[in-house]
């Protein structure tokens, strides 16, 4: 922070610049200019909602007399008041105790960690005829939902950074693969929810899944590393003979003990 010297000219400029640098910390803070009687005023600002930087306008909420009012933040970024009980879907901001006509006390319950729970959110991405690289906003989300009728197995390409995503394949027809611009990836079958992790090089499943993934394939197939541990099914509805090729170890080096 800048310091103000004794008898410094235009000291208010330095002070105001210091306040600008910490504006982010004021988000949802009590606004003394609009807090009066049974009205709670709060300061606006910016926060990420579902990966997108969103402007939150300053505003007010009505309080109930002679009660403990729980001013909280909804998943949509709205400041609301729940009376006498806390809403488990909301992030706490303030506990405000009121008398007959005014506020008697309040507790600041804001927490950067709690508010961050809402910032990641969920992003949706359609996959159909081509691979798709997710956007920066989508990568900031903790949950990725894939929709669309895939015309073949497609790649959902994520940035090669160290983090996790929960991926839900809500599309149809074919499996998808979560992978970076290089390295190995994880195949997610239709209807499955998979926690994937990137270590900056590869995308993998960080823990053992409580299911054995199954893939139905009615085309010629070269077995790939992502097929390790999967059940591959040739559906009876496909009456054409297909060739599935297990590659040589020099081409694809499956770990010892891999099952197909």
């Amino acid at each position: 922070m800048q310091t103000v010297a004794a008898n410094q000219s235009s000291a208010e400029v330095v002070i105001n610049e210091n306040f600008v640098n910490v504006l982010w910390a004021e988000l949802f803070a009590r606004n003394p200019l609009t807090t009066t009687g049974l009205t709670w005023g709060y300061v606006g600002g910016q926060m990420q909602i579902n990966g997108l930087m969103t402007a939150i306008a300053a505003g007010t909420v009505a309080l109930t007399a002679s009660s403990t009012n729980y001013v909280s933040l909804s998943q949509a970024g709205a400041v609301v008041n729940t009376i006498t009980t806390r809403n488990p879907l909301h992030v706490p901001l303030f506990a405000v105790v009121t008398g007959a006509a005014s506020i008697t006390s309040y507790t600041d319950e804001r927490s950067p960690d709690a508010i961050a729970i809402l910032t990641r959110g969920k992003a949706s991405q359609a996959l159909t005829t081509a691979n798709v690289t997710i956007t920066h906003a989508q990568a900031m989300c903790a949950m990725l939902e894939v929709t669309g009728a895939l015309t073949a197995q497609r790649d959902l390409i994520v940035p090669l950074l160290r983090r996790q995503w929960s991926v839900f394949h809500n599309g149809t027809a074919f499996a998808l693969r979560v992978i970076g611009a290089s390295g190995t990836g994880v195949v997610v079958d239709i209807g499955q929810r998979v926690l994937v992790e990137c270590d900056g090089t590869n995308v993998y499943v960080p823990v053992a899944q409580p299911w054995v993934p199954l893939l139905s394939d009615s085309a010629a197939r070269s077995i790939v590393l992502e097929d390790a541990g999967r059940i591959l099914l040739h559906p009876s509805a496909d009456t054409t003979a297909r060739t599935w090729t297990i590659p040589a170890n020099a081409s694809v080096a499956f770990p010892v003990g891999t099952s197909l």
Side-chain angles (χ1 to χ4, degrees), residues 22-210:
V22 294
L23 278 179
W24 62 270
E26 276 198 319
L27 183 61
F28 304 120
R30 172 181 174 273
N31 188 342
L33 299 178
T34 57
T35 298
T36 180
L38 292 176
T39 298
W40 181 265
Y42 59 89
V43 177
Q46 287 191 321
M47 66 176 290
Q48 286 187 344
I49 299 177
N50 291 328
L52 292 174
M53 189 60 70
T54 303
I56 305 296
T60 60
V61 293
L63 303 175
T64 297
S66 304
S67 302
T68 298
N69 298 256
Y70 295 106
V71 179
S72 55
L73 180 67
S74 74
Q75 295 185 61
V79 177
V80 296
N81 175 28
T82 58
I83 306 162
T84 69
T85 59
R86 299 180 185 272
N87 189 326
L89 300 178
H90 295 176
V91 169
L93 297 177
F94 288 87
V96 185
V97 179
T98 58
S102 62
I103 298 169
T104 58
S105 65
Y106 65 87
T107 303
D108 189 343
E109 298 181 331
R110 292 176 301 152
S111 164
D113 291 338
I115 293 176
I117 294 173
L118 299 185
T119 65
R120 302 279 175 89
K122 183 179 78 172
S124 181
Q125 175 62 56
L127 279 181
T128 53
T129 61
N131 301 333
V132 173
T133 300
I134 64 174
T135 65
H136 176 270
Q138 290 172 321
M140 293 297 295
C141 293
M143 301 174 64
L144 302 174
E145 179 180 0
V146 174
T147 61
L150 285 69
T151 57
Q153 179 174 299
R154 302 298 179 192
D155 287 346
L156 186 70
I157 304 172
V158 299
L160 288 172
L161 56 89
R162 292 185 293 275
R163 66 161 304 174
Q164 292 182 339
W165 293 275
S166 174
V167 181
F168 174 34
H169 188 346
N170 198 23
T172 59
F174 289 89
L176 66 92
R177 182 173 62 167
V178 184
I179 193 170
S182 59
T184 60
V186 173
V187 175
V188 182
D189 292 318
I190 299 168
Q192 291 182 335
R193 298 176 186 268
V194 180
L195 180 66
V196 301
E197 183 172 308
C198 179
D199 60 6
T201 303
N202 300 303
V203 177
Y204 57 93
V205 177
V207 294
Q209 300 289 341

Side-chain angles (χ1 to χ4, degrees), residues 7 37 214 227 239 253:
N7 302 318
L214 181 147
D227 289 329
T239 58

